[in-house]
Amino acid sequence: MQERDAGKPLSPALPGQIYRASTMNITLRDIQDTVIQYAEIIAQVINVDVEIVDHEFVRLAGTGFYRNRLNENMANEGFVFQAALESGQTQVIKDPGRNRICISCPKQLVCAEKLEICKPIKLGEETIGVIGLICFF
């Protein structure tokens, strides 16, 4: 286990590990199995579908409707994810399909989602992915 240098923040660690962001070149894809496990736990606890994408817009984890759509590129459909990734800000969409972010989406008029919250996943100052919580009715 590495000791913390004074003044250097620790990056998020896997269970049982501590490491500094400056010493690691890890991506979400490198830990995809763990990412999937966390998505499944979150989905069970709060009873919503969960998607996690990396900085290249690849769906690394998905539950419910998205469970069988792993490793797909979401560049043509993940507009709320894209807004979160580009801005580094949480996106809360109370009216998917009618929100201005959804204008270019090919599923805009037939969107089955009823609420979407997308939160950037950061490692230090860098956004390395986005986690999305999606509700369907």
Side-chain angles (χ1 to χ4, degrees), residues 15 26 30 37 40-41 43 46-48 62-65 70 80 85 99 128 133:
I26 195 165
D30 294 332
Q37 289 175 346
E40 290 173 355
I41 291 167
I46 61 176
N47 198 29
V48 298
T63 66
F65 181 78
L70 300 186
V80 180
L85 191 65
N99 189 283
I128 61 170
L133 307 177

Side-chain angles (χ1 to χ4, degrees), residues 28-36 59-61 70-71:
L28 290 175
R29 195 174 307 206
D30 294 332
I31 58 168
Q32 185 172 12
D33 290 340
T34 302
V35 170
I36 291 168
R59 183 183 292 116
L60 298 179
L70 300 186
N71 300 312

Side-chain angles (χ1 to χ4, degrees), residues 54-118:
D54 67 6
H55 67 284
E56 295 177 332
F57 269 167
V58 175
R59 183 183 292 116
L60 298 179
T63 66
F65 181 78
Y66 302 104
R67 181 177 310 279
N68 296 320
R69 298 183 61 198
L70 300 186
N71 300 312
E72 288 182 4
N73 186 301
M74 294 179 51
N76 293 325
E77 63 182 83
F79 294 94
V80 180
F81 284 83
Q82 184 176 15
L85 191 65
E86 289 175 358
S87 70
Q89 301 294 316
T90 300
Q91 303 293 316
V92 178
I93 308 298
K94 296 177 182 175
D95 55 351
R98 293 185 297 277
N99 189 283
R100 63 176 173 72
I101 291 175
C102 305
I103 289 173
S104 299
C105 182
K107 297 179 182 178
Q108 177 193 14
L109 299 176
V110 293
C111 186
E113 298 176 0
K114 300 302 176 196
L115 175 72
E116 185 168 357
I117 301 172
C118 289

Side-chain angles (χ1 to χ4, degrees), residues 39-50 63 133-136:
E40 290 173 355
I41 291 167
I42 292 167
Q44 289 176 3
V45 169
I46 61 176
N47 198 29
V48 298
D49 283 354
V50 176
T63 66
L133 307 177
I134 299 102
C135 296
F136 296 92

